[in-house]
Amino acid sequence: MEINITGPKIFYEIPVLGGIKITESHVNSLFIILLVFVVCKILTSSLKLVPTTKRQIVAEFIVEKCRGMVSESMGQRCISYTPFVMAILALVGLSNLLGLLGMYPPTADVSIPLGLSITVFCIITREKLRGGIGGYIKGFF
């Protein structure tokens, strides 16, 4: 059994600012983004007010389940974050599935989880500060 601990392969290096490396993580992340985009375009093409196709029923089922999850965990006030939560779920879920297919999962790099965690931390802090600094500090006690 061979174990590789060197990280993602470097496919290309852009000779700008000391060299910007395009790694396997970047390529696989782009693949996942394009896959999610194509699935969204397919599911949302020619929508009707009353769902008649299986495609629209599946799309509405996914959205309603995610809206329910967001409203249960974050409250009805934060229901506008549903697309953001769905994007994180799709990115992380599909990234981890790439690892099962033998490809390098982008979530194995520190950059994706770090970027997502910083973004979510900033959003949570902003939402807590909306209620005022007193409520924010009260949340720690």
Side-chain angles (χ1 to χ4, degrees):
M1 175 157 72
E2 184 178 322
I3 298 175
N4 183 7
I5 59 170
T6 59
K9 296 176 193 165
I10 298 173
F11 288 138
Y12 184 72
E13 187 169 341
I14 302 172
V16 177
L17 301 172
I20 300 172
K21 294 174 178 63
I22 304 298
T23 65
E24 195 174 3
S25 291
H26 297 116
V27 174
N28 290 346
S29 294
L30 182 62
F31 170 73
I32 290 170
I33 290 168
L34 291 175
L35 180 69
V36 170
F37 176 76
V38 167
V39 168
C40 287
K41 285 301 267 185
I42 289 171
L43 287 177
T44 60
S45 65
S46 67
L47 294 179
K48 295 182 174 61
L49 191 58
V50 178
T52 56
T53 62
K54 290 181 184 177
R55 184 178 66 227
Q56 184 172 351
I57 292 170
V58 167
E60 289 188 15
F61 176 78
I62 292 169
V63 170
E64 286 302 315
K65 284 296 180 183
C66 200
R67 283 178 65 113
M69 182 183 69
V70 169
S71 68
E72 285 177 17
S73 62
M74 297 171 64
Q76 195 64 28
R77 191 180 102 208
C78 298
I79 201 73
S80 62
Y81 288 111
T82 302
F84 177 70
V85 171
M86 287 178 73
I88 289 177
L89 287 174
L91 176 68
V92 171
L94 291 174
S95 293
N96 292 332
L97 284 176
L98 277 184
L100 293 174
L101 297 175
M103 300 171 76
Y104 190 82
T107 50
D109 248 353
V110 73
S111 60
I112 298 284
L114 182 66
L116 288 175
S117 63
I118 289 171
T119 304
V120 170
F121 174 77
C122 291
I123 288 173
I124 290 172
T125 303
R126 187 184 80 195
E127 284 298 315
K128 293 288 275 180
L129 287 173
R130 268 182 151 179
I133 193 76
Y136 179 72
I137 294 173
K138 182 180 159 187
F140 287 110
F141 297 106

mmCIF file of all heavy atoms in Angstrom, residues 39-40 42-44 47 51-66 86:
data_model
loop_
_atom_site.group_PDB
_atom_site.id
_atom_site.type_symbol
_atom_site.label_atom_id
_atom_site.label_comp_id
_atom_site.label_asym_id
_atom_site.label_seq_id
_atom_site.Cartn_x
_atom_site.Cartn_y
_atom_site.Cartn_z
ATOM 1 N N VAL A 39 -26.304 21.211 -12.768
ATOM 2 C CA VAL A 39 -27.456 20.588 -12.107
ATOM 3 C C VAL A 39 -28.515 21.640 -11.777
ATOM 4 O O VAL A 39 -29.715 21.414 -11.990
ATOM 5 C CB VAL A 39 -27.012 19.817 -10.843
ATOM 6 C CG1 VAL A 39 -28.201 19.410 -9.992
ATOM 7 C CG2 VAL A 39 -26.199 18.605 -11.225
ATOM 8 N N CYS A 40 -28.097 22.802 -11.304
ATOM 9 C CA CYS A 40 -29.048 23.871 -10.993
ATOM 10 C C CYS A 40 -29.752 24.373 -12.256
ATOM 11 O O CYS A 40 -30.956 24.636 -12.241
ATOM 12 C CB CYS A 40 -28.344 25.030 -10.296
ATOM 13 S SG CYS A 40 -27.892 24.668 -8.604
ATOM 14 N N ILE A 42 -30.284 22.649 -14.983
ATOM 15 C CA ILE A 42 -31.208 21.608 -15.433
ATOM 16 C C ILE A 42 -32.462 21.589 -14.567
ATOM 17 O O ILE A 42 -33.583 21.509 -15.078
ATOM 18 C CB ILE A 42 -30.506 20.232 -15.421
ATOM 19 C CG1 ILE A 42 -29.466 20.170 -16.539
ATOM 20 C CG2 ILE A 42 -31.512 19.099 -15.559
ATOM 21 C CD1 ILE A 42 -28.568 18.951 -16.474
ATOM 22 N N LEU A 43 -32.290 21.665 -13.241
ATOM 23 C CA LEU A 43 -33.441 21.593 -12.338
ATOM 24 C C LEU A 43 -34.334 22.820 -12.419
ATOM 25 O O LEU A 43 -35.531 22.732 -12.162
ATOM 26 C CB LEU A 43 -32.967 21.386 -10.901
ATOM 27 C CG LEU A 43 -32.434 20.007 -10.538
ATOM 28 C CD1 LEU A 43 -31.949 19.991 -9.106
ATOM 29 C CD2 LEU A 43 -33.476 18.937 -10.759
ATOM 30 N N THR A 44 -33.775 23.973 -12.761
ATOM 31 C CA THR A 44 -34.572 25.205 -12.739
ATOM 32 C C THR A 44 -34.989 25.698 -14.117
ATOM 33 O O THR A 44 -35.559 26.776 -14.227
ATOM 34 C CB THR A 44 -33.802 26.325 -12.024
ATOM 35 O OG1 THR A 44 -32.580 26.571 -12.714
ATOM 36 C CG2 THR A 44 -33.529 25.966 -10.585
ATOM 37 N N LEU A 47 -39.466 26.443 -15.258
ATOM 38 C CA LEU A 47 -40.295 26.220 -14.074
ATOM 39 C C LEU A 47 -41.690 26.797 -14.298
ATOM 40 O O LEU A 47 -41.868 27.791 -14.994
ATOM 41 C CB LEU A 47 -39.654 26.883 -12.849
ATOM 42 C CG LEU A 47 -38.332 26.320 -12.371
ATOM 43 C CD1 LEU A 47 -37.823 27.105 -11.179
ATOM 44 C CD2 LEU A 47 -38.453 24.858 -12.015
ATOM 45 N N PRO A 51 -46.110 22.844 -10.101
ATOM 46 C CA PRO A 51 -45.149 21.855 -10.603
ATOM 47 C C PRO A 51 -45.845 20.689 -11.297
ATOM 48 O O PRO A 51 -46.752 20.077 -10.747
ATOM 49 C CB PRO A 51 -44.403 21.398 -9.353
ATOM 50 C CG PRO A 51 -45.272 21.764 -8.209
ATOM 51 C CD PRO A 51 -46.099 22.929 -8.646
ATOM 52 N N THR A 52 -45.398 20.412 -12.517
ATOM 53 C CA THR A 52 -45.977 19.303 -13.272
ATOM 54 C C THR A 52 -44.916 18.273 -13.658
ATOM 55 O O THR A 52 -45.253 17.125 -13.909
ATOM 56 C CB THR A 52 -46.649 19.816 -14.556
ATOM 57 O OG1 THR A 52 -45.696 20.556 -15.306
ATOM 58 C CG2 THR A 52 -47.844 20.698 -14.221
ATOM 59 N N THR A 53 -43.653 18.679 -13.698
ATOM 60 C CA THR A 53 -42.600 17.750 -14.091
ATOM 61 C C THR A 53 -41.890 17.207 -12.855
ATOM 62 O O THR A 53 -41.852 17.845 -11.798
ATOM 63 C CB THR A 53 -41.571 18.441 -14.991
ATOM 64 O OG1 THR A 53 -40.955 19.499 -14.268
ATOM 65 C CG2 THR A 53 -42.215 18.989 -16.249
ATOM 66 N N LYS A 54 -41.307 16.021 -13.006
ATOM 67 C CA LYS A 54 -40.548 15.418 -11.904
ATOM 68 C C LYS A 54 -39.345 16.279 -11.551
ATOM 69 O O LYS A 54 -38.963 16.381 -10.390
ATOM 70 C CB LYS A 54 -40.082 14.015 -12.283
ATOM 71 C CG LYS A 54 -41.192 13.008 -12.361
ATOM 72 C CD LYS A 54 -40.656 11.640 -12.728
ATOM 73 C CE LYS A 54 -41.791 10.662 -12.904
ATOM 74 N NZ LYS A 54 -41.302 9.344 -13.323
ATOM 75 N N ARG A 55 -38.754 16.895 -12.549
ATOM 76 C CA ARG A 55 -37.579 17.745 -12.331
ATOM 77 C C ARG A 55 -37.923 18.909 -11.397
ATOM 78 O O ARG A 55 -37.184 19.195 -10.459
ATOM 79 C CB ARG A 55 -37.084 18.251 -13.693
ATOM 80 C CG ARG A 55 -35.830 19.045 -13.619
ATOM 81 C CD ARG A 55 -35.365 19.473 -14.986
ATOM 82 N NE ARG A 55 -36.323 20.405 -15.563
ATOM 83 C CZ ARG A 55 -36.802 20.332 -16.796
ATOM 84 N NH1 ARG A 55 -36.436 19.383 -17.600
ATOM 85 N NH2 ARG A 55 -37.663 21.219 -17.227
ATOM 86 N N GLN A 56 -39.047 19.560 -11.625
ATOM 87 C CA GLN A 56 -39.438 20.682 -10.767
ATOM 88 C C GLN A 56 -39.832 20.196 -9.377
ATOM 89 O O GLN A 56 -39.537 20.859 -8.379
ATOM 90 C CB GLN A 56 -40.586 21.468 -11.395
ATOM 91 C CG GLN A 56 -40.945 22.694 -10.589
ATOM 92 C CD GLN A 56 -41.939 23.591 -11.274
ATOM 93 O OE1 GLN A 56 -42.260 23.389 -12.438
ATOM 94 N NE2 GLN A 56 -42.421 24.584 -10.559
ATOM 95 N N ILE A 57 -40.442 19.042 -9.292
ATOM 96 C CA ILE A 57 -40.818 18.501 -7.986
ATOM 97 C C ILE A 57 -39.568 18.180 -7.169
ATOM 98 O O ILE A 57 -39.493 18.480 -5.973
ATOM 99 C CB ILE A 57 -41.723 17.257 -8.154
ATOM 100 C CG1 ILE A 57 -43.073 17.690 -8.727
ATOM 101 C CG2 ILE A 57 -41.893 16.524 -6.841
ATOM 102 C CD1 ILE A 57 -43.963 16.552 -9.155
ATOM 103 N N VAL A 58 -38.562 17.607 -7.812
ATOM 104 C CA VAL A 58 -37.297 17.318 -7.129
ATOM 105 C C VAL A 58 -36.632 18.614 -6.678
ATOM 106 O O VAL A 58 -36.145 18.709 -5.538
ATOM 107 C CB VAL A 58 -36.362 16.492 -8.048
ATOM 108 C CG1 VAL A 58 -34.953 16.448 -7.489
ATOM 109 C CG2 VAL A 58 -36.905 15.099 -8.234
ATOM 110 N N ALA A 59 -36.599 19.618 -7.536
ATOM 111 C CA ALA A 59 -35.982 20.900 -7.183
ATOM 112 C C ALA A 59 -36.693 21.539 -5.991
ATOM 113 O O ALA A 59 -36.038 22.019 -5.054
ATOM 114 C CB ALA A 59 -36.000 21.843 -8.382
ATOM 115 N N GLU A 60 -38.033 21.537 -6.012
ATOM 116 C CA GLU A 60 -38.778 22.132 -4.901
ATOM 117 C C GLU A 60 -38.603 21.319 -3.614
ATOM 118 O O GLU A 60 -38.562 21.896 -2.525
ATOM 119 C CB GLU A 60 -40.250 22.262 -5.277
ATOM 120 C CG GLU A 60 -40.490 23.331 -6.314
ATOM 121 C CD GLU A 60 -41.959 23.602 -6.557
ATOM 122 O OE1 GLU A 60 -42.794 23.175 -5.727
ATOM 123 O OE2 GLU A 60 -42.257 24.261 -7.560
ATOM 124 N N PHE A 61 -38.497 20.012 -3.721
ATOM 125 C CA PHE A 61 -38.264 19.170 -2.546
ATOM 126 C C PHE A 61 -36.925 19.517 -1.898
ATOM 127 O O PHE A 61 -36.839 19.669 -0.674
ATOM 128 C CB PHE A 61 -38.302 17.689 -2.946
ATOM 129 C CG PHE A 61 -37.969 16.758 -1.829
ATOM 130 C CD1 PHE A 61 -38.900 16.463 -0.850
ATOM 131 C CD2 PHE A 61 -36.710 16.167 -1.744
ATOM 132 C CE1 PHE A 61 -38.589 15.603 0.187
ATOM 133 C CE2 PHE A 61 -36.389 15.314 -0.714
ATOM 134 C CZ PHE A 61 -37.333 15.016 0.263
ATOM 135 N N ILE A 62 -35.876 19.656 -2.713
ATOM 136 C CA ILE A 62 -34.546 19.990 -2.193
ATOM 137 C C ILE A 62 -34.569 21.347 -1.496
ATOM 138 O O ILE A 62 -34.044 21.512 -0.392
ATOM 139 C CB ILE A 62 -33.506 19.959 -3.322
ATOM 140 C CG1 ILE A 62 -33.312 18.530 -3.818
ATOM 141 C CG2 ILE A 62 -32.180 20.548 -2.857
ATOM 142 C CD1 ILE A 62 -32.500 18.431 -5.094
ATOM 143 N N VAL A 63 -35.206 22.326 -2.148
ATOM 144 C CA VAL A 63 -35.247 23.677 -1.576
ATOM 145 C C VAL A 63 -36.051 23.690 -0.278
ATOM 146 O O VAL A 63 -35.632 24.306 0.711
ATOM 147 C CB VAL A 63 -35.824 24.674 -2.600
ATOM 148 C CG1 VAL A 63 -36.115 26.016 -1.957
ATOM 149 C CG2 VAL A 63 -34.865 24.845 -3.767
ATOM 150 N N GLU A 64 -37.176 23.015 -0.253
ATOM 151 C CA GLU A 64 -38.005 23.008 0.958
ATOM 152 C C GLU A 64 -37.308 22.300 2.124
ATOM 153 O O GLU A 64 -37.406 22.741 3.266
ATOM 154 C CB GLU A 64 -39.366 22.355 0.685
ATOM 155 C CG GLU A 64 -40.290 23.227 -0.121
ATOM 156 C CD GLU A 64 -40.551 24.578 0.537
ATOM 157 O OE1 GLU A 64 -40.799 24.632 1.762
ATOM 158 O OE2 GLU A 64 -40.497 25.586 -0.190
ATOM 159 N N LYS A 65 -36.617 21.210 1.842
ATOM 160 C CA LYS A 65 -35.883 20.523 2.910
ATOM 161 C C LYS A 65 -34.783 21.420 3.480
ATOM 162 O O LYS A 65 -34.581 21.473 4.695
ATOM 163 C CB LYS A 65 -35.272 19.217 2.393
ATOM 164 C CG LYS A 65 -36.262 18.115 2.227
ATOM 165 C CD LYS A 65 -36.835 17.734 3.579
ATOM 166 C CE LYS A 65 -37.834 16.624 3.444
ATOM 167 N NZ LYS A 65 -38.457 16.288 4.712
ATOM 168 N N CYS A 66 -34.075 22.101 2.607
ATOM 169 C CA CYS A 66 -33.004 22.979 3.086
ATOM 170 C C CYS A 66 -33.579 24.192 3.822
ATOM 171 O O CYS A 66 -33.023 24.627 4.830
ATOM 172 C CB CYS A 66 -32.119 23.412 1.925
ATOM 173 S SG CYS A 66 -30.517 23.991 2.474
ATOM 174 N N MET A 86 -27.126 25.826 1.180
ATOM 175 C CA MET A 86 -27.189 24.810 0.132
ATOM 176 C C MET A 86 -25.873 24.745 -0.649
ATOM 177 O O MET A 86 -25.421 23.659 -1.021
ATOM 178 C CB MET A 86 -28.354 25.092 -0.816
ATOM 179 C CG MET A 86 -29.704 24.802 -0.218
ATOM 180 S SD MET A 86 -31.065 25.176 -1.320
ATOM 181 C CE MET A 86 -30.938 23.853 -2.501
#
